[in-house]
Amino acid sequence: MRIRGVQRMRLWGRMLRNRLAPGALILLYHRINELPTDPQLLNVRPGHFRKHLEILRKVAQPISLREFMNAHRERRKLRRVFMVTFDDGYRDNLELAKPLLEEYQAPATVSVASGYVGENREFWWDELERLLLTPGKLPYQFQIRIRERVLNFDLGAYSTYSVSDAKRYAFWNVAHPVCPTSRHSAYLVLYSELRTTNVAARDEALRELRLLAGDGATARADYLAMDRQEIRQLRNGGLIEIAAHSVNHPCLSCISPAEQQSEIRNSKTDLEKLLGIDVQGFAYPFGASADYDSHSLHFVGRSGFDWALSNYPAMASFHTDRFQLPRVLVGDWNGPKFTHFLREWV
Ligand SMILES: [Zn+2]
């Protein structure tokens, strides 16, 4: 049985190698961690990430974005290569991802939202989760203002969210078709509102919610971005490259051109000041085609970036627009599921 299993694995490996021929595969990760909940599906457990690297290493060659861009400039064809990228700049990229990237000698690019570096606050989507989907108390009914609009919420029985409630609904994420409680419905409404408004309105809405929750803005240690020293440490060894990812992580197409310009330019200069290097890459926050527009492309091109990463599934080649490189989002999949994913879409 065991030998047949090994043979089957080898066969799969050969099939994958043959399929992974045209162009380069750019993988998108966010976090490598063990977390109690993952409503936005951003996390991959360390054991699964190790498996992904092991499988990738068998079927393709890891390269850096820098190497990819050299091939892009020279209009050189790439075959059976992959790149690993991380967005946002979570601290676990240093603590849990880097050792595995080193073990498998896989270069990676980490795109950092510079406004969160060294801040004792969570990324806005994590803070929203903490305020609504971790144990705590909110009024039965409340209002949140987002610019000129007033949103009304009625939490009813879930005004108090207990430890056992949080445990019971820990499985929930945005892909789940049903909201199990009024808090989950409120989370979805607010997430979509905050994602599409500007940074000032978003921060003000979160401040209102913190006040209502009587929350002292106690950030969870596991949800923090790296600080300045940690970003430098992440680069040590030369395997990991840093790219920009805006300052405050807004949806760029949802804010004014002037706001876009400052988000894009300042994220570059912030990181350059911090690292003393030229930051060449940018990753659009959220990254789907609706999340940036012609102004974003203009400002990224004019700010001195050499390339930019989007978030749509395709293979990258020298034909690809270097300011809209495709990426494939990876989930918290075990080995067989990851193998299936590679086989399915390549
Ligand atoms: Zn991001």
Side-chain angles (χ1 to χ4, degrees):
M1 271 307 279
R2 197 163 155 69
I3 291 169
R4 282 180 60 191
V6 170
Q7 279 170 342
R8 206 176 308 128
M9 280 293 283
R10 285 201 183 124
L11 200 66
W12 270 116
R14 222 173 7 248
M15 278 177 66
L16 278 175
R17 262 197 303 279
N18 293 337
R19 280 167 171 269
L20 210 65
L25 177 63
I26 314 181
L27 300 164
L28 167 57
Y29 293 89
H30 294 86
R31 318 196 53 177
I32 304 298
N33 214 322
E34 299 280 355
L35 299 173
T37 57
D38 186 17
Q40 291 297 326
L41 295 167
L42 298 178
N43 188 49
V44 172
R45 280 171 280 179
H48 285 169
F49 185 52
R50 170 188 286 282
K51 207 73 203 162
H52 298 179
L53 292 172
E54 189 187 311
I55 293 166
L56 282 163
R57 264 309 208 161
K58 283 183 187 150
V59 298
Q61 179 72 23
I63 61 166
S64 65
L65 241 314
R66 198 176 293 264
E67 289 170 275
F68 172 80
M69 283 312 300
N70 287 339
H72 192 278
R73 257 185 295 277
E74 294 159 10
R75 301 184 68 75
R76 195 157 26 88
K77 275 189 186 161
L78 289 168
R79 293 169 64 83
R80 295 177 193 153
V81 299
F82 73 93
M83 282 159 272
V84 175
T85 70
F86 283 87
D87 275 7
D88 302 333
Y90 282 99
R91 192 187 267 170
D92 56 39
N93 293 184
L94 171 68
E95 291 169 348
L96 294 158
K98 189 181 180 189
L100 289 168
L101 291 165
E102 285 177 334
E103 189 179 330
Y104 288 89
Q105 280 298 294
T109 298
V110 176
S111 304
V112 176
S114 65
Y116 286 90
V117 173
E119 293 279 309
N120 190 30
R121 62 172 173 144
E122 298 177 25
F123 288 103
W124 67 262
W125 54 89
D126 287 330
E127 181 157 21
L128 185 66
E129 182 214 351
R130 189 189 76 234
L131 292 168
L132 284 168
L133 303 181
T134 66
K137 223 173 149 31
L138 277 162
Y140 288 96
Q141 294 177 329
F142 62 89
Q143 296 184 326
I144 297 286
R145 267 189 313 275
I146 297 180
R147 299 170 103 167
E148 64 283 353
R149 294 190 312 117
V150 176
L151 303 173
N152 290 293
F153 296 94
D154 186 346
L155 295 182
Y158 288 99
S159 155
T160 299
Y161 202 58
S162 68
V163 173
S164 65
D165 289 334
K167 252 190 199 158
R168 186 173 312 127
Y169 302 118
F171 69 91
W172 185 83
N173 61 55
V174 289
H176 209 269
V178 183
C179 281
T181 77
S182 52
R183 283 191 173 237
H184 294 81
S185 313
Y187 168 84
L188 279 188
V189 169
L190 279 166
Y191 178 85
S192 133
E193 293 287 338
L194 300 189
R195 191 188 188 287
T196 48
T197 192
N198 64 18
V199 175
R202 184 186 84 197
D203 288 352
E204 176 54 26
L206 278 173
R207 199 185 65 83
E208 282 183 33
L209 196 60
R210 271 201 304 272
L211 281 175
L212 289 167
D215 177 280
T218 355
R220 294 168 290 182
D222 246 3
Y223 289 76
L224 292 179
M226 285 173 282
D227 64 23
R228 302 162 76 87
Q229 186 54 33
E230 287 164 337
I231 293 184
R232 288 194 201 102
Q233 262 174 271
L234 188 70
R235 281 190 72 241
N236 283 350
L239 200 61
I240 297 173
E241 183 180 1
I242 304 296
H245 192 41
S246 81
V247 178
N248 295 293
H249 209 295
C251 152
L252 291 171
S253 60
C254 304
I255 60 178
S256 71
E259 288 170 321
Q260 288 203 45
Q261 184 176 26
S262 96
E263 285 287 337
I264 292 166
R265 287 206 174 148
N266 293 349
S267 66
K268 187 177 194 318
T269 49
D270 284 354
L271 292 170
E272 287 181 342
K273 245 184 258 167
L274 163 69
L275 298 169
I277 55 155
D278 181 26
V279 171
Q280 295 181 329
F282 184 81
Y284 301 99
F286 307 107
S289 58
D291 298 321
Y292 57 93
D293 58 19
S294 56
H295 296 292
S296 329
L297 291 168
H298 172 80
F299 293 129
V300 167
R302 287 291 178 88
S303 300
F305 288 109
D306 188 33
W307 47 265
L309 297 162
S310 302
N311 180 7
Y312 65 96
M315 292 295 263
S317 75
F318 65 79
H319 297 293
T320 316
D321 177 356
R322 68 187 162 107
F323 289 116
Q324 294 186 80
L325 296 172
R327 285 191 292 176
V328 184
L329 184 64
V330 183
D332 184 28
W333 304 321
N334 61 17
K337 201 158 177 204
F338 184 72
T339 303
H340 183 74
F341 146 80
L342 283 179
R343 197 176 121 248
E344 270 235 315
W345 89 269
V346 176

